[in-house]
Amino acid sequence: MGTQKKTTIKDIANVLGLTPSAVSKALNNHPRISEKTKVSVQQVAKNLNYQPNHLASALRKGKSNLVGVIIPRANSNFFSAVLQSIEDVLHEKGYNIIISQSYESFEKECRYIDALLFTQVDGIIASMANETTDFSYYEKIKSKGIPLILFDRGENALGVDYIGIDDYKSSHLIVDHLVSQGCKRIAHIAGFSHTRIYKNRIKGYEDALEKHDLPLDDALVYECKLTKQNGREIMEQLLEQPNRPDAVYVAGDYAALGALQVLKEKNISIPDEIAIVGFGNEPFTSLVTPSITTIEQHSTEIGRLTAEAFLRRIEEAAIPPTLNKMILEPELIVRDSSDKK
Amino acid sequence: MGTQKKTTIKDIANVLGLTPSAVSKALNNHPRISEKTKVSVQQVAKNLNYQPNHLASALRKGKSNLVGVIIPRANSNFFSAVLQSIEDVLHEKGYNIIISQSYESFEKECRYIDALLFTQVDGIIASMANETTDFSYYEKIKSKGIPLILFDRGENALGVDYIGIDDYKSSHLIVDHLVSQGCKRIAHIAGFSHTRIYKNRIKGYEDALEKHDLPLDDALVYECKLTKQNGREIMEQLLEQPNRPDAVYVAGDYAALGALQVLKEKNISIPDEIAIVGFGNEPFTSLVTPSITTIEQHSTEIGRLTAEAFLRRIEEAAIPPTLNKMILEPELIVRDSSDKK
DNA sequence: TATATTTGTTCCAACGTTTGAACAAAAGTA
DNA sequence: TACTTTTGTTCAAACGTTGGAACAAATATA
């Protein structure tokens, strides 16, 4: 009991008095195999409880049907939704997915890239860790000649496919909205500007302020890792300034929550004294009081497009080596934290 | 450019005038290979940018070093924490992990089990979907002779290793606490009783009521999928009853949140009129107002133990075929939703 | 010096599947 | 009837690695 020997294609062949190659062809629906043989092979395969050995066929075909996905963490509404969407599309096409969470660590990311390459994945889909500024490991993927697709956290410099939302425009949506609510002094708790998406959000914020003839004040912009704790600390610093902001655009929902909590603790009215806008539409933004205005990133769509980009690269081999960049439209979801009614 | 041929062990052999098997042995640190040869093999391997072909060695060795993990969803604090912990332990030992999310669907779960078996994983770690009542697919794993480890959502009947917390005791902790707050009519929004963990929570709830000489009232117990929406709907039904409860023990945090929202909308004071207790310690339970009393499940510990159980099964082959059940102590985290001060 | 042991390597078969070439038999065309 | 085409199958090699058996050379033991 337990470890009975696994049935192979050879066992089926023996039962039917065929060769293994005939059985293989029958199972793969080869046109030269007779209908009769195919049927009996199927039959025997089922009887013997045959499971094809993926390793052997992957080795022979030079294709593992495994795709590596590297994300900062699965425990985030955005990433898990993208993941689900990628899974749906790729499982459909017979791919299995190896998920690795970098937890924003560059070192882990590198190790996982090595592990995935070692496992002979057919391609890698990734959203970079915040820490990552050195792309040599990603170059390694490219140099192996296997498809690399980036989403959300990407880097154009690599010249690979990228799917994300328009961060620059998101900032405009937010600033426009805050100005329409009568805000005049808008602070920005930003992500680190070495990451493209955060740089774009900062640029969008600055340009939007300029558009509305509002002055740019360096004292109102802070770069951080966008944790809840960062949000708390920076909000406290903002409150100590002689000339307080009347709105804070926070480039991440967790940090926005931290900022919100500080204001609540100090009994500063939201949004009347200070309005808050977050980014990412994490589920809790609609659950807290007041609910937080934020940006929806169309995660399902991003996942689908990412998976499709991968499939295109696989199928079309090395046909279009040009960078394929897809940028989705952001959507502003106005909630209580910025809606003065 | 791009798809240059991959270097194999053979290429290294050619460069050094050795045989492939000597190179293989050198790379695997075989005792019979001279130090000198090992060094030069390493050297050439590095120069040629050699990556061992995992597929080939897995095929030859009959071991893929891949472990399948099936969870209801990654987008949950509990599961993602368990996952991280499993990853940490197994990556350390050279395993890669294939994660599949069942989204509580029995059908998906079955498909993923097949896909994982097909991929020749060395073992499967799973937490069952709520829907799952038919275990034949899990029997299939057992019959293949590969290790199966269950956590949180498991089933003893399968006779496989199981790691979880003491649900029965959790209910006692909760009821004891509510009684100490003066609650006398405690409702229970439960999970489906065909799932072992929810059955145990229900049993614990009933026994704890009895312990405190409180009457059991069937009208106060509802089974559901424990979504936020379920929580809302059942809370509304509870409020319509002539004899309202003064506390609700909800077997999941999301449903607890739904219940909480209904009470807030109807301006029913929490915890004075009705106290709420959830289950799982999801991050949002500390973020909402009022914060929600809940049960911490020691996810990191569960993950570690689960991974270690897997390793034990792999290493000790078929040595101890007995069921190995590990039950951790739950921890009650008292917050505003039940703390009458 | 003859024999036994150790050391370093090669040889070969295997893991399970796939695939193109080869081949015989059947069917179609002249 | 002779020849081409089609159909169904077998043959053999390959994918890259591994590991036991075999073997020769070097070293140790008697």
Side-chain angles (χ1 to χ4, degrees):
Chain A
M1 78 239 247
T3 336
Q4 67 273 58
K5 196 89 102 307
K6 284 179 190 149
T7 11
T8 71
I9 229 168
K10 216 169 170 175
D11 301 321
I12 302 177
N14 285 339
V15 171
L16 291 167
L18 286 172
T19 42
S21 78
V23 174
S24 167
K25 287 182 173 120
L27 289 171
N28 291 302
N29 204 26
H30 190 284
R32 282 287 193 82
I33 297 291
S34 70
E35 225 26 68
K36 207 184 91 215
T37 308
K38 283 180 187 167
V39 171
S40 52
V41 165
Q42 302 277 6
Q43 193 62 43
V44 175
K46 184 164 277 179
N47 286 347
L48 297 184
N49 195 20
Y50 169 71
Q51 281 272 155
N53 186 325
H54 168 256
L55 256 26
S57 85
L59 173 61
R60 177 60 232 251
K61 297 205 273 197
K63 190 159 181 301
S64 67
N65 271 50
L66 251 30
V67 180
V69 178
I70 303 176
I71 52 176
R73 61 193 169 283
N75 178 22
S76 129
N77 189 50
F78 175 68
F79 288 117
S80 88
V82 174
L83 203 55
Q84 170 168 12
S85 186
I86 292 176
E87 273 179 354
D88 286 348
V89 176
L90 293 189
H91 280 152
E92 190 66 32
K93 294 281 183 179
Y95 287 92
N96 249 318
I97 291 175
I98 300 183
I99 301 169
S100 302
Q101 305 182 62
S102 69
Y103 298 103
E104 307 287 6
S105 146
F106 173 65
E107 194 210 323
K108 281 204 171 196
E109 202 170 70
C110 296
R111 273 200 287 131
Y112 289 163
I113 289 175
D114 273 342
L116 290 173
L117 290 176
F118 172 65
T119 314
Q120 315 285 123
V121 293
D122 290 341
I124 292 182
I125 292 173
S127 193
M128 289 186 186
N130 263 332
E131 271 183 39
T132 304
T133 51
D134 166 6
F135 306 120
S136 57
Y137 268 78
Y138 283 98
E139 291 289 352
K140 205 163 155 182
I141 302 172
K142 273 183 67 183
S143 78
K144 292 267 169 209
I146 70 170
L148 167 63
I149 319 282
L150 297 174
F151 70 91
D152 191 49
R153 315 266 198 84
E155 178 55 45
N156 296 357
L158 279 163
V160 299
D161 289 353
Y162 172 82
I163 290 92
I165 64 155
D166 190 335
D167 289 284
Y168 179 81
K169 188 161 180 183
S170 301
S171 292
H172 276 270
L173 288 179
I174 291 169
V175 171
D176 291 355
H177 162 68
L178 288 172
V179 168
S180 81
Q181 297 292 311
C183 301
K184 298 218 163 350
R185 199 166 155 72
I186 303 170
H188 182 29
I189 301 181
F192 290 115
S193 54
H194 62 69
T195 308
R196 207 189 45 78
I197 60 171
Y198 297 122
K199 190 169 70 193
N200 288 349
R201 290 181 199 173
I202 294 170
K203 186 75 168 70
Y205 158 79
E206 292 171 347
D207 289 359
L209 285 188
E210 204 172 356
K211 183 175 71 184
H212 290 288
D213 292 323
L214 291 173
L216 253 169
D217 185 345
D218 275 353
L220 292 181
V221 180
Y222 288 76
E223 290 184 18
C224 66
K225 286 172 96 170
L226 295 173
T227 64
K228 191 177 116 190
Q229 189 55 29
N230 290 148
R232 293 191 64 96
E233 288 162 7
I234 295 172
M235 190 71 235
E236 275 165 5
Q237 291 178 44
L238 283 169
L239 290 176
E240 280 169 15
Q241 294 190 6
N243 194 2
R244 266 190 192 177
D246 56 7
V248 185
Y249 157 27
V250 192
D253 280 336
Y254 281 92
L257 178 70
L260 189 92
Q261 287 181 334
V262 169
L263 296 184
K264 275 170 74 177
E265 285 162 18
K266 301 200 190 271
N267 282 315
I268 295 168
S269 111
I270 310 166
D272 296 321
E273 282 181 77
I274 297 183
I276 297 272
V277 178
F279 205 109
N281 200 19
E282 287 290 327
F284 68 78
T285 53
S286 67
L287 306 178
V288 293
T289 315
S291 57
I292 302 175
T293 296
T294 190
I295 291 281
E296 162 61 39
Q297 300 179 86
H298 304 297
S299 34
T300 301
E301 190 74 358
I302 289 184
R304 191 177 55 77
L305 289 169
T306 303
E308 286 172 0
F310 164 78
L311 290 173
R312 219 176 303 120
R313 287 286 172 193
I314 284 284
E315 280 158 17
E316 301 182 10
I319 292 172
T322 48
L323 166 65
N324 201 348
K325 213 163 111 183
M326 310 198 61
I327 304 299
L328 304 184
E329 289 292 302
E331 182 188 347
L332 182 73
I333 299 182
V334 178
R335 299 210 183 91
D336 297 342
S337 72
S338 71
D339 189 1
K340 302 193 181 176
K341 302 273 157 59
Chain B
M1 73 235 256
T3 337
Q4 67 274 53
K5 197 89 101 305
K6 283 180 190 147
T7 13
T8 72
I9 229 167
K10 215 169 169 176
D11 300 322
I12 302 177
N14 285 338
V15 171
L16 293 167
L18 287 171
T19 41
S21 80
V23 174
S24 167
K25 289 182 171 110
L27 290 171
N28 290 302
N29 204 26
H30 190 285
R32 282 287 194 78
I33 296 291
S34 70
E35 224 30 66
K36 205 183 93 219
T37 309
K38 282 180 187 168
V39 171
S40 51
V41 166
Q42 301 277 8
Q43 193 63 43
V44 175
K46 183 163 278 179
N47 286 347
L48 297 184
N49 195 20
Y50 170 70
Q51 281 272 154
N53 186 325
H54 168 256
L55 256 25
S57 87
L59 172 62
R60 177 61 229 250
K61 298 204 271 195
K63 188 160 182 300
S64 67
N65 270 49
L66 250 30
V67 180
V69 178
I70 302 176
I71 52 176
R73 61 194 170 282
N75 178 24
S76 129
N77 189 51
F78 175 69
F79 289 117
S80 88
V82 174
L83 204 55
Q84 169 168 13
S85 188
I86 292 176
E87 274 179 353
D88 286 348
V89 176
L90 294 189
H91 280 152
E92 191 65 33
K93 295 280 182 179
Y95 287 92
N96 250 317
I97 291 174
I98 301 183
I99 300 169
S100 302
Q101 304 182 63
S102 69
Y103 299 103
E104 307 287 6
S105 146
F106 173 65
E107 193 210 323
K108 282 204 171 196
E109 201 170 70
C110 295
R111 272 200 288 130
Y112 289 163
I113 289 175
D114 274 341
L116 290 174
L117 290 177
F118 172 64
T119 314
Q120 315 285 122
V121 293
D122 290 340
I124 292 182
I125 292 174
S127 193
M128 289 186 186
N130 264 331
E131 272 183 37
T132 304
T133 51
D134 166 7
F135 306 122
S136 57
Y137 269 78
Y138 284 97
E139 291 289 353
K140 205 164 154 182
I141 301 173
K142 273 182 68 183
S143 78
K144 292 268 169 208
I146 71 171
L148 167 63
I149 318 283
L150 297 174
F151 71 91
D152 190 50
R153 316 265 198 85
E155 176 56 45
N156 296 358
L158 278 162
V160 299
D161 289 353
Y162 172 82
I163 290 93
I165 65 156
D166 190 336
D167 289 283
Y168 179 81
K169 188 161 181 182
S170 301
S171 292
H172 277 270
L173 288 178
I174 290 169
V175 171
D176 291 354
H177 162 69
L178 288 172
V179 168
S180 80
Q181 298 291 310
C183 300
K184 298 218 166 343
R185 200 168 153 71
I186 303 171
H188 183 29
I189 301 182
F192 290 114
S193 55
H194 60 70
T195 308
R196 208 189 44 78
I197 59 171
Y198 297 123
K199 189 169 71 194
N200 288 350
R201 290 182 199 172
I202 294 169
K203 186 77 169 72
Y205 158 81
E206 292 170 348
D207 289 358
L209 286 189
E210 204 172 357
K211 182 175 72 183
H212 291 288
D213 292 322
L214 292 172
L216 254 168
D217 185 346
D218 276 353
L220 291 180
V221 180
Y222 287 77
E223 291 184 16
C224 66
K225 287 172 93 171
L226 294 172
T227 64
K228 191 177 117 190
Q229 189 55 29
N230 290 147
R232 293 191 65 96
E233 288 162 7
I234 295 172
M235 190 71 235
E236 275 165 4
Q237 290 179 44
L238 283 169
L239 290 177
E240 278 168 17
Q241 294 192 5
N243 194 2
R244 267 190 192 177
D246 56 8
V248 185
Y249 157 27
V250 192
D253 280 336
Y254 281 92
L257 178 70
L260 190 91
Q261 288 181 335
V262 168
L263 295 185
K264 276 171 72 177
E265 285 162 19
K266 301 201 189 270
N267 282 315
I268 295 170
S269 112
I270 312 167
D272 295 322
E273 282 182 77
I274 298 184
I276 297 273
V277 177
F279 205 110
N281 200 18
E282 287 290 328
F284 68 78
T285 52
S286 67
L287 306 178
V288 292
T289 315
S291 56
I292 302 175
T293 296
T294 189
I295 291 280
E296 163 61 39
Q297 298 181 87
H298 304 298
S299 33
T300 301
E301 191 74 355
I302 290 185
R304 191 177 57 75
L305 290 169
T306 303
E308 286 171 0
F310 164 78
L311 290 172
R312 218 175 305 120
R313 286 287 171 192
I314 283 285
E315 281 157 17
E316 301 181 12
I319 292 171
T322 48
L323 166 65
N324 201 348
K325 212 163 111 183
M326 310 198 62
I327 304 299
L328 304 184
E329 288 293 302
E331 184 187 345
L332 181 72
I333 299 182
V334 177
R335 298 212 184 90
D336 297 343
S337 71
S338 71
D339 188 1
K340 301 194 182 178
K341 301 273 158 55

